Amino acid sequence: MRQMSAIILAAGKGTRMKSDLPKVLHGLGHKPMIEYVLSAVREAGIDDLCIVVGHGADEVRTTLGGEYLYAVQEPQLGTGHAVQQALPVFSKPCDSTMVLCGDTPLLTAATLNKLKTYFETSDAACTVMSAVLPQGGSYGRIIRDSRNEVEAIVEEKDATIEQLAIREINSGVYCFKIKALREAISRIKPNNAQGEYYLTDVIQEIRKRGGKVNAYVCQDSEEILGVNDRYQLAVIAKALRQRKTRDLMLSGVTIVDPDTVYIDDDVEIGTDCLIEPNVYIEGACKIGSGCHIGPSVKMVDTVMGKNCEIGPFCYLRPGVVLADKVKAGHFVEIKKSQIGKGSKVPHLSYIGDTIIGEGVNIGCGTITCNYDGKNKHNTIIEDEVFIGSNTNLVAPVKVGYRSTVAAGSTVTDDVPENTLAIARNRQCNIVGWTFQRDPRFAKKDEE
Ligand code: UD1
Ligand code: MG
């Protein structure tokens, strides 16, 4: 099998986004759009990746990190010029390369694999991935010759009226034999409506030198959709969400109303979970089987075991780790805390920077006071503790094994094991004391 690398084009400005942020870094479900392309390429078994950066190059590199090769294109003179910058960057020798754009996040590894197989089993020097659309729009049109091979790709801006009627369009994804690409790319010229070096012009150059170019028609034309403006960003975000909820439902998760649920791409959810409406599960959440979540819950980077009960109206912030059978109920916010097996925080609480053991009950309205205005402090609540309602736990503080805190306490000192802590004023009853009424209301009361 031939060794294949990939070049991802991401140097363009993305003018229509009207943004200071480079286009490929705009988020889809809290992940930059280019990450979806990179994942699909790697999932298709291609690890030798070069990203062409230009506009906002430093920001793109910083965000994506050091695991990729980068080529800098400055100035940006077109897609052909961009590929030219990437060719010298590969350190390992490769026979062929796949070229993609960083702004087409719906491409799947399965489709890229089909393209790769189509290319590798043909004798073509280039395979273009095409799609047939109801209308060609602003995409390049595929011109085929009498043998049905690809003769050229004509950009919308350069096309004749007859060519504009062609509905088979260029997806912007290609496989090339690297030798043919190298030879052809040095010959392209910016003689077109946009004055750019078009990558699509290499097709004629390859053919002039006897190379064959064919097209693999992508069956699901939705996959090739690109993001050019923020409206398309929202359309694609929705398509990705639908894909995610469908995958989860088919793998055994019940989602009552998928249209109201926002689950990020990397989230893992076990079988027999029930997700109610208006739930946001973001970042790298991992949810065990049999959990009941919602309605109206938001969680970010949360890990939970099996059979947990979350919500309604619960907010779990990053760093929350829940063991099996934990309950976090109504209007409960938890941040950077671990909660042990079977423990419950059922109502109206804030728990932050806390370690809670197993079998603990946290009474309604309990607050961990974790912030003194300068620093955050930790609270430790050991196994089988009972915290009475409306307790303030002023951190740093520890409540020992099997202890109880009386309702309404403000706990500032550690509580040893097997102890009852009462930290509130003792009630005082003054017998015979009556409230002196305002005489102005006396008449009204008599009526
Ligand atoms: C390109 C194709 C068109 C195809 C369409 C598919 C060309 C000439 N045309 O058009 O046939 O139908 O994609 O979406 O290739 N980029 C650079 N450097 C540059 C210019 C662009 O890296 O100098 C990158 C962009 O960041 C983007 C990608 O290349 O990720 C495509 O560029 P774009 O300007 O969107 O090309 P299209 O006009 O859409
Ligand atoms: Mg484009």
Side-chain angles (χ1 to χ4, degrees):
M1 190 152 124
R2 304 175 198 163
Q3 192 65 35
M4 191 180 268
S5 61
I7 300 171
I8 290 105
L9 307 184
K13 186 162 189 301
T15 314
R16 283 168 284 174
M17 296 299 282
K18 304 206 166 96
S19 176
D20 290 338
L21 190 68
K23 176 164 83 174
V24 294
L25 295 187
H26 277 262
L28 288 164
H30 309 92
K31 205 161 76 171
M33 68 172 89
I34 191 172
E35 292 272 16
Y36 291 85
V37 182
L38 299 173
S39 306
V41 172
R42 281 189 302 187
E43 217 185 304
I46 306 173
D47 295 317
D48 205 7
L49 265 60
C50 176
I51 304 170
V52 183
V53 291
H55 180 76
D58 288 343
E59 221 175 331
V60 176
R61 261 189 300 216
T62 311
T63 307
L64 300 179
E67 60 180 303
Y68 304 104
L69 295 168
Y70 293 94
V72 180
Q73 184 198 17
E74 194 61 60
Q76 293 99 43
L77 302 178
T79 49
H81 179 249
V83 168
Q84 220 165 3
Q85 313 311 305
L87 288 176
V89 170
F90 289 109
S91 47
K92 289 185 237 161
C94 59
D95 302 325
S96 57
T97 193
M98 188 184 280
V99 177
L100 310 95
C101 301
D103 61 356
T104 51
L106 294 176
L107 283 172
T108 62
T111 295
L112 298 183
N113 262 323
K114 284 182 200 158
L115 166 69
K116 203 170 146 214
T117 308
Y118 190 91
F119 169 71
E120 285 175 347
T121 52
S122 75
D123 56 350
C126 168
T127 298
V128 182
M129 186 158 86
S130 69
V132 179
L133 302 182
Q135 269 161 1
S138 62
Y139 292 101
R141 306 300 199 268
I142 305 280
I143 315 290
R144 292 193 184 243
D145 66 13
S146 53
R147 284 175 302 175
N148 214 28
E149 286 171 17
V150 179
E151 190 173 276
I153 296 175
V154 180
E155 291 307 295
E156 187 214 13
K157 292 193 173 103
D158 304 295
T160 63
I161 292 186
E162 291 75 32
Q163 288 168 336
L164 284 176
I166 295 171
R167 291 168 47 221
E168 186 182 8
I169 58 91
N170 171 23
S171 71
V173 185
Y174 324 75
C175 290
F176 290 100
K177 279 186 184 157
I178 208 103
K179 194 162 165 280
L181 177 62
R182 268 187 218 281
E183 284 168 3
I185 209 153
S186 58
R187 293 186 156 72
I188 57 173
K189 306 238 154 43
N191 299 331
N192 50 58
Q194 303 187 79
E196 288 184 3
Y197 291 89
Y198 287 168
L199 176 60
T200 44
D201 285 350
V202 300
I203 284 160
Q204 282 137 297
E205 295 300 332
I206 288 172
R207 282 174 58 105
K208 273 186 208 160
R209 304 170 69 81
K212 181 177 150 183
V213 180
N214 58 16
Y216 167 73
V217 186
C218 178
Q219 292 309 305
D220 179 3
S221 57
E222 185 194 68
E223 279 196 35
I224 62 125
L225 291 179
V227 176
N228 292 306
D229 57 40
R230 295 191 203 223
Y231 174 72
Q232 291 170 339
L233 185 72
V235 168
I236 284 177
K238 188 166 189 173
L240 284 167
R241 281 200 301 275
Q242 284 171 340
R243 234 185 232 178
K244 182 70 183 178
T245 49
R246 190 193 57 209
D247 286 352
L248 287 168
M249 289 185 280
L250 296 180
S251 70
V253 175
T254 297
I255 301 181
V256 176
D257 181 4
D259 289 344
T260 67
V261 164
Y262 297 74
I263 303 176
D264 281 355
D265 193 47
D266 296 328
V267 168
E268 293 171 24
I269 305 183
T271 52
D272 287 323
C273 282
L274 170 63
I275 315 287
E276 299 218 56
N278 199 26
V279 166
Y280 302 74
I281 306 180
E282 300 177 357
C285 287
K286 278 199 173 70
I287 298 174
S289 58
C291 294
H292 181 174
I293 295 165
S296 299
V297 164
K298 172 165 166 142
M299 62 178 83
V300 185
D301 298 340
T302 295
V303 176
M304 77 180 74
K306 296 178 193 162
N307 302 315
C308 292
E309 247 186 89
I310 312 297
F313 300 101
C314 177
Y315 181 21
L316 304 180
R317 292 165 49 196
V320 172
V321 179
L322 310 180
D324 296 349
K325 295 188 176 172
V326 167
K327 180 180 172 111
H330 273 77
F331 299 104
V332 167
E333 175 178 344
I334 307 179
K335 183 216 94 174
K336 208 175 165 192
S337 294
Q338 292 171 32
I339 302 191
K341 193 171 170 187
S343 291
K344 294 182 167 60
V345 191
H347 344 260
L348 301 163
S349 285
Y350 170 68
I351 303 294
D353 304 301
T354 299
I355 297 175
I356 297 179
E358 297 184 2
V360 170
N361 190 81
I362 305 286
C364 174
T366 295
I367 305 291
T368 55
C369 310
N370 60 330
Y371 186 47
D372 62 11
K374 264 192 191 154
N375 299 303
K376 301 282 169 69
H377 301 282
N378 298 323
T379 300
I380 297 171
I381 301 172
E382 292 186 340
D383 293 352
E384 294 174 47
V385 162
F386 184 94
I387 307 280
S389 293
N390 198 28
T391 293
N392 300 307
L393 296 160
V394 183
V397 74
K398 173 173 158 183
V399 183
Y401 174 65
R402 282 202 167 164
S403 284
T404 299
V405 175
S409 291
T410 293
V411 179
T412 52
D413 297 329
D414 287 354
V415 180
E417 294 183 10
N418 296 301
T419 301
L420 169 66
I422 308 176
R424 65 179 189 227
N425 275 351
R426 186 169 279 281
Q427 183 169 333
C428 170
N429 290 341
I430 302 171
V431 178
W433 187 95
T434 317
F435 177 66
Q436 291 302 309
R437 289 169 178 219
D438 186 326
R440 282 175 300 168
F441 298 121
K443 193 160 175 282
K444 199 165 180 257
D445 286 355
E446 279 161 21
E447 280 170 3

Coordinates of all heavy atoms in Angstrom, one line a residue, residues 16 23 103 228, ligand 2:
R16 N -15.8 36.6 4.9 CA -17.3 36.6 5.2 C -17.7 36.3 6.6 O -18.8 36.5 7.0 CB -18.0 35.7 4.2 CG -18.1 36.3 2.8 CD -18.5 35.3 1.8 NE -17.5 34.3 1.5 CZ -17.6 33.3 0.7 NH1 -18.8 33.0 0.2 NH2 -16.6 32.5 0.4
K23 N -10.9 32.0 10.6 CA -12.2 31.2 10.3 C -12.1 29.8 10.9 O -13.0 29.3 11.5 CB -12.4 31.1 8.8 CG -13.6 30.3 8.5 CD -14.2 30.5 7.1 CE -13.4 29.7 6.1 NZ -14.1 29.8 4.7
D103 N -12.2 24.1 6.5 CA -13.5 24.7 6.8 C -14.7 23.8 6.4 O -15.8 24.2 6.1 CB -13.7 26.1 6.2 CG -13.6 26.1 4.6 OD1 -13.3 25.0 4.1 OD2 -13.8 27.1 4.0
N228 N -18.6 29.4 5.3 CA -18.0 30.7 4.9 C -18.5 31.9 5.7 O -17.8 32.9 5.7 CB -18.4 30.9 3.4 CG -17.6 29.9 2.5 OD1 -16.4 29.7 2.6 ND2 -18.4 29.1 1.8
Ligands
MG2 MG -14.6 28.0 0.4

